[in-house]
């Protein structure tokens, strides 16, 4: 929407600058009665307890047609009153939480100056705070003066406690997020849960559209249209936004607030508050399409034009939301398959040597996900934290530059032979002057074209942007998790942003003890021929030329020849970009920028 200031500045149209009261003001006495029933502290140091005005529409009822016409299509926010039943609100009361274990007021939780400190290179408080301490605005000993907030992607067990009436199903017609089932015919989405004391909140940031419900307390929202969006690591209480470029609104328990794609937003708790959100971005908003159809469409795209990398499994039909998982027991181990890091060959080995212990599955919540490219958080959400902690989990990584080079030329081949959607998504041009890049004879030209793509992709998918993952990978629907980005580390983190896998193996070291070590953890892989097969497939022409000569086995997903990745290390701009984008990977996995390799008269083919 055009604000009065900009209407005058850009168009010469004078519009009265006045705040609009809500169409439905909330009743002060009813609000106080609800606060008393919920039992949480209502203490506040704010001089004005709340501002009973809103700069955008407040409605009590909203049909699907009205939502699309007035808010979704024109990109306008809206607040919908009274969307949570009294029973749902009471499930977030202090009295009910005192009957639980994980949400008991004395239970301690990780907190920080912002909802997800790691996203802005900050740290959590070194001390966990109890819910009661946060209710009373207790300060973090190592961060005095900074209000603390807790944020999490709730586990299935959490949801079963908080939404007992539907056995943990959140996006249900009977709940506050029921509007998603009405508007989008879905029951899936990325849910987040928040609580914090007075003056805490989510600092200014942006991402795809979301629906936000408040269950307890009082929350002040500040929104900014996409033109004025931004990121900051400052605590919400310290952020000051231009009133000419922002909109404010006060949210009370039961209010469901919707903001469109890429709107900047921040929240400030006016007292201890508990809320939840479902991020429901562009991919999921396919009008009138059942989630199973979305899953089938994604599978078709994945199998034909993405980095599916030669998966060979039985065809699995997308299941309906109401169906049980394909299996009722978790696999014997969890493998986080990061794209272009040897995962396809590893899964091929599981299918051959570990039948019954490894399961190839698909599920549709919180999105159309599958085991083939499942992040740590994806595994945890599906099988629960208990199963994750009891089973062995691991991931394989690769030098960030080698991974990117392999991916670049692999996708050019895939998009040329099949469909171009993935290359379009990743901004990869498949041809140069009418010739497919993979057919170019000039290695130096191939290297130059890669560097040009790096520069372009960096501008289109910068760090901390909602689509940064496209710098390194197709999302495989893992973008439902706010922590997912271009880095390999983001595949392995839990809801707290911590590396959650038991062990991380480097692809370059699988031939020098890595495979033997892995075999001790997964006995079905204790087979020398298996190890040699994996190494031959992954390192042919790259990390282990001698082994290639000894074991003549076809390489999975054979790509056209391209130069050794070390020859790409000579470009200083690419180096600066990679050291920024993949800083956490270089740190976590001990990689260093390679010494540039001079031209060699050989053109190795890709590993995986």
């Amino acid at each position: 929407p055009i604000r009065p200031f900009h209407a005058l500045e850009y168009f010469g149209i004078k519009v009265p600058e006045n705040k609009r009261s809500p169409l439905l003001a909330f009743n002060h006495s009813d609000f106080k009665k609800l606060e008393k029933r919920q039992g949480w502290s209502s203490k506040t140091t704010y001089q004005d307890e709340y501002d009973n005005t809103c700069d955008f529409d407040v409605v009590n009822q909203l049909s699907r047609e009205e939502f699309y016409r007035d808010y979704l299509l024109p990109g306008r926010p809206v607040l919908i009153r009274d969307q949570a039943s009294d029973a749902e609100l009471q499930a977030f009361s202090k009295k009910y939480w005192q009957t639980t274990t994980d949400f008991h007021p004395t239970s301690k939780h990780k907190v920080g100056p912002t909802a997800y400190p790691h996203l802005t290179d900050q740290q959590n408080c070194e001390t966990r705070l109890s819910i009661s301490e946060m209710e009373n605005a207790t300060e973090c000993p190592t961060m005095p003066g900074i209000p603390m907030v807790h944020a999490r992607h709730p586990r299935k067990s959490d949801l079963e406690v908080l939404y007992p009436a539907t056995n943990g199903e959140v996006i249900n017609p009977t709940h506050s997020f029921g509007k998603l089932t009405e508007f989008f015919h879905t029951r899936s989405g990325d849910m987040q849960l928040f609580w914090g004391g007075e003056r805490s909140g989510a600092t200014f940031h942006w991402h795809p559209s979301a629906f936000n419900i408040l269950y307890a307390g009082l929350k002040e929202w500040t929104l900014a249209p996409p033109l004025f969006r931004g990121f900051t690591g400052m605590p919400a209480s310290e952020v000051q936004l231009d009133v000419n470029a922002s909109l404010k609104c006060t949210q009370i328990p039961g209010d469901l607030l919707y903001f469109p794609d890429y709107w900047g937003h921040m929240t400030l708790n006016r007292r201890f508050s508990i809320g939840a959100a479902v991020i429901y971005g562009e991919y999921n908003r396919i009008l009138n399409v059942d989630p199973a159809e979305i899953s089938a469409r994604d599978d078709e795209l994945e199998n034909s034009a993405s980095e599916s990398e030669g998966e060979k499994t039985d065809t699995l039909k997308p299941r309906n939301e109401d169906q049980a998982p394909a299996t009722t027991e978790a696999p014997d181990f969890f493998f986080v398959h990061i794209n272009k890091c040897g995962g396809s060959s590893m899964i091929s080995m599981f299918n051959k040597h570990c039948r019954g212990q490894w399961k190839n599955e698909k599920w549709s919540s919180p999105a159309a996900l599958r085991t083939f490219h499942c992040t740590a958080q994806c595994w945890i959400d599906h099988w629960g934290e208990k199963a994750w902690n009891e089973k062995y989990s691991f991931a394989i990584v690769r030098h960030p530059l080698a991974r990117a080079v392999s991916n670049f030329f692999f996708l050019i081949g895939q998009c040329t032979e099949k469909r171009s959607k993935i290359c379009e998504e990743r901004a990869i041009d498949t041809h140069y002057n009418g010739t497919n890049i993979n057919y170019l004879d000039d290695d130096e030209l191939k290297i130059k074209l890669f560097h040009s793509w790096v520069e372009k992709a960096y501008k289109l998918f910068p760090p901390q942007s909602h689509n940064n993952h496209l710098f390194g990978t197709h999302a495989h629907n893992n973008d439902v998790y706010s922590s997912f980005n271009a880095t390999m580390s983001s595949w392995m983190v839990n809801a707290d942003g911590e590396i959650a896998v038991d062990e991380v193996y480097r692809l370059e070291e699988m031939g020098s003890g890595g495979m033997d070590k892995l075999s001790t953890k997964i006995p079905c892989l204790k087979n020398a021929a298996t190890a040699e097969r994996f190494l031959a497939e992954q390192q042919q022409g790259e990390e282990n030329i001698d082994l290639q000569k000894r074991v003549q086995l076809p390489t999975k997903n054979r790509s056209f020849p391209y130069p050794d990745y070390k020859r790409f290390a000579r470009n200083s701009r690419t180096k600066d970009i990679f050291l920024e984008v993949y800083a956490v990977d270089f740190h976590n996995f001990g990689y260093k920028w390679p010494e540039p390799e001079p031209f060699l008269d050989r053109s190795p083919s890709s590993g995986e």
Side-chain angles (χ1 to χ4, degrees):
I2 298 175
R3 304 289 289 131
F5 172 82
H6 298 101
L8 181 62
E9 180 79 9
Y10 298 119
F11 303 107
I13 302 173
K14 190 171 183 178
V15 179
E17 179 69 73
N18 64 312
K19 283 185 176 288
R20 180 175 57 228
S21 291
L23 302 181
L24 295 163
F26 62 82
N27 185 293
H28 178 78
S29 62
D30 287 347
F31 171 61
K32 285 297 183 182
K33 290 177 183 177
L34 175 61
E35 274 200 318
K36 187 175 181 179
R37 288 203 316 275
Q38 289 194 305
W40 300 107
S41 172
S42 60
K43 291 175 58 178
T44 179
T45 58
Y46 282 97
Q47 206 166 22
D48 298 319
E49 189 173 14
Y50 52 80
D51 180 5
N52 191 18
T53 61
C54 191
D55 292 336
F56 48 88
D57 289 353
V58 178
V59 300
N60 196 29
Q61 297 293 332
L62 189 63
S63 69
R64 186 169 184 265
E65 179 183 358
E66 291 169 332
F67 174 69
Y68 278 90
R69 182 192 66 209
D70 298 334
Y71 304 106
L72 178 67
L73 296 180
R76 298 173 59 224
V78 63
L79 186 142
I80 315 173
R81 280 267 140 90
D82 299 323
Q83 293 302 295
S85 67
D86 187 66
E88 185 176 352
L89 291 174
Q90 289 311 305
F92 290 83
S93 68
K94 190 172 187 177
K95 183 178 180 180
Y96 177 72
W97 280 26
Q98 286 172 335
T99 68
T100 71
T101 300
D102 291 342
F103 297 100
H104 194 281
T106 60
S107 61
K108 293 184 178 290
H109 303 270
K110 186 174 292 187
V111 299
T114 63
Y116 299 103
H118 65 280
L119 296 180
T120 48
D121 296 324
Q122 298 184 84
Q123 300 296 317
N124 287 293
C125 175
E126 294 179 3
T127 304
R128 291 176 179 257
L129 297 182
S130 70
I131 296 174
S132 290
E133 288 173 326
M134 298 188 72
E135 179 187 11
N136 297 315
T138 301
E139 293 186 346
C140 168
T142 56
M143 300 180 184
I146 301 177
M148 294 288 109
V149 64
H150 171 81
R152 68 164 70 180
H153 293 271
R155 305 179 299 262
K156 184 179 179 181
S157 58
D158 294 335
L159 300 178
E160 290 171 350
V161 171
L162 298 174
Y163 300 89
T166 54
N167 197 31
E169 183 183 46
V170 180
I171 305 177
N172 181 288
T174 64
H175 281 331
S176 51
F177 290 112
K179 283 297 181 185
L180 274 79
T181 66
E182 178 184 346
F183 295 160
F184 304 118
H185 301 293
T186 184
R187 293 192 179 185
S188 64
D190 175 27
M191 186 181 179
Q192 301 176 38
L193 182 67
F194 314 92
W195 64 74
E198 183 188 30
R199 295 185 182 276
S200 67
T203 194
F204 194 56
H205 64 291
W206 58 274
H207 50 66
S209 64
F211 291 80
N212 298 264
I213 189 76
L214 188 67
Y215 286 121
L218 197 67
K219 183 171 292 191
E220 179 185 290
W221 282 81
T222 304
L223 307 181
L227 180 64
F228 304 104
R229 68 189 181 188
F231 267 97
T232 179
M234 297 171 61
S237 57
E238 297 180 12
V239 179
Q240 299 292 324
L241 298 181
D242 187 342
V243 295
N244 292 312
S246 59
L247 308 170
K248 285 185 178 292
C249 194
T250 301
Q251 185 184 30
I252 63 172
D255 285 352
L256 182 68
L257 186 148
Y258 162 79
F259 62 79
D261 283 326
Y262 317 133
W263 274 60
H265 55 282
M266 58 176 281
T267 63
L268 195 61
N269 294 321
R270 289 279 187 155
R271 63 199 64 200
F272 178 73
S273 300
I274 305 171
V278 170
I279 297 177
Y280 202 74
E282 293 172 304
Y283 176 82
N284 293 322
R285 288 196 315 276
I286 302 173
L287 311 186
N288 297 310
V289 177
D290 183 85
E293 294 180 48
I294 297 175
S295 176
R297 192 191 74 157
D298 184 72
D299 290 338
E300 179 184 3
L301 179 64
E302 170 79 359
N303 292 330
S304 61
S306 74
E307 304 118 318
S308 60
E309 305 177 14
E311 178 190 18
K312 293 182 179 179
T313 64
D314 295 334
T315 300
L316 296 171
K317 296 181 180 179
R319 66 179 179 88
N320 296 324
E321 289 288 345
D322 295 333
Q323 290 180 324
T327 58
T328 57
E329 293 185 4
D332 288 3
F333 50 86
F334 294 110
F335 173 49
V336 175
H337 175 191
I338 302 169
N339 69 311
K340 305 310 294 177
C341 291
S344 291
S345 292
M346 182 59 67
I347 289 177
S348 178
M349 289 164 51
F350 294 157
N351 292 333
K352 182 176 181 180
H353 299 277
C354 304
R355 293 182 181 274
Q357 299 178 49
W358 171 260
K359 299 170 173 54
N360 296 294
E361 294 184 314
K362 305 173 186 176
W363 47 83
S364 55
S365 179
L369 296 164
R370 60 177 182 159
T371 57
F372 191 70
H373 276 305
C374 191
T375 64
Q377 189 58 45
C378 159
W379 282 117
I380 294 169
D381 279 355
H382 188 69
W383 289 110
E385 200 167 67
K386 184 175 183 293
W388 174 266
N389 291 334
E390 290 175 349
K391 309 284 186 176
Y392 178 69
S393 59
F394 75 102
I396 300 175
V397 298
R398 185 182 194 178
H399 192 286
L401 181 59
R403 173 179 175 241
V405 170
S406 174
N407 195 206
F408 178 76
F409 290 100
F410 170 78
L411 287 181
I412 289 173
Q414 288 285 296
C415 294
T416 302
E417 295 173 5
K418 297 173 183 176
R419 299 187 182 92
S420 61
K421 288 183 179 180
I422 296 298
C423 286
E424 291 173 5
E425 177 191 53
R426 302 279 300 279
I428 295 176
D429 296 323
T430 59
H431 288 70
Y432 176 77
N433 288 344
T435 302
N436 183 278
I437 292 174
N438 279 330
Y439 289 103
L440 295 173
D441 293 326
D442 187 343
D443 277 356
E444 292 303 313
L445 178 56
K446 287 184 177 180
I447 293 172
K448 180 180 178 181
L449 293 173
F450 171 80
H451 293 312
S452 296
W453 171 78
V454 169
E455 182 73 32
K456 178 170 62 174
Y458 178 75
K459 292 177 181 177
L460 291 172
F461 320 122
Q464 299 184 0
S465 66
H466 75 282
N467 56 1
N468 170 249
H469 62 272
L470 294 175
F471 190 89
T473 179
H474 174 59
H476 305 285
N477 289 338
N478 289 298
D479 54 344
V480 297
Y481 301 112
S482 58
S483 58
F484 188 69
N485 56 44
T487 68
M488 292 178 285
S489 298
S490 72
W491 288 76
M492 308 177 210
V493 298
N494 58 22
D496 293 324
E498 300 171 334
I499 297 291
V501 295
D502 292 322
E503 288 186 277
V504 179
Y505 296 83
R506 301 206 320 183
L507 178 63
E508 298 87 349
E509 297 172 354
M510 293 301 281
S512 56
M515 196 66 205
D516 292 336
K517 180 180 179 181
L518 179 61
S519 296
T520 65
K521 304 291 185 178
I522 305 177
C524 55
L525 295 181
K526 286 185 176 179
N527 184 317
T530 298
E532 287 197 346
R533 175 183 173 82
F534 174 78
L535 293 169
E537 291 178 347
Q538 295 313 313
Q539 299 173 340
Q540 184 178 14
E542 289 191 293
E543 289 89 3
N544 198 326
I545 302 299
D546 292 336
L547 183 60
Q548 172 203 341
K549 294 176 180 177
R550 280 195 298 114
V551 185
Q552 294 294 334
L553 290 172
T555 305
K556 276 202 174 297
N557 303 315
R558 181 183 294 277
S559 298
F560 286 85
Y562 61 81
D564 186 278
Y565 82 94
K566 293 180 182 177
R567 291 177 56 192
F568 293 78
R570 288 176 285 175
N571 187 288
S572 60
R573 178 57 180 158
T574 292
K575 177 181 179 180
D576 291 342
I577 289 173
F578 270 65
L579 292 180
E580 176 187 353
V581 173
Y582 296 111
V584 67
D585 287 345
F586 282 101
H587 172 76
N588 286 342
F589 311 128
Y591 285 114
K592 298 187 181 303
W593 192 253
E595 289 295 324
E597 183 175 293
F599 178 80
L600 297 176
D601 190 17
R602 61 180 175 87
S603 295
S605 52
S606 167
E608 193 219 21

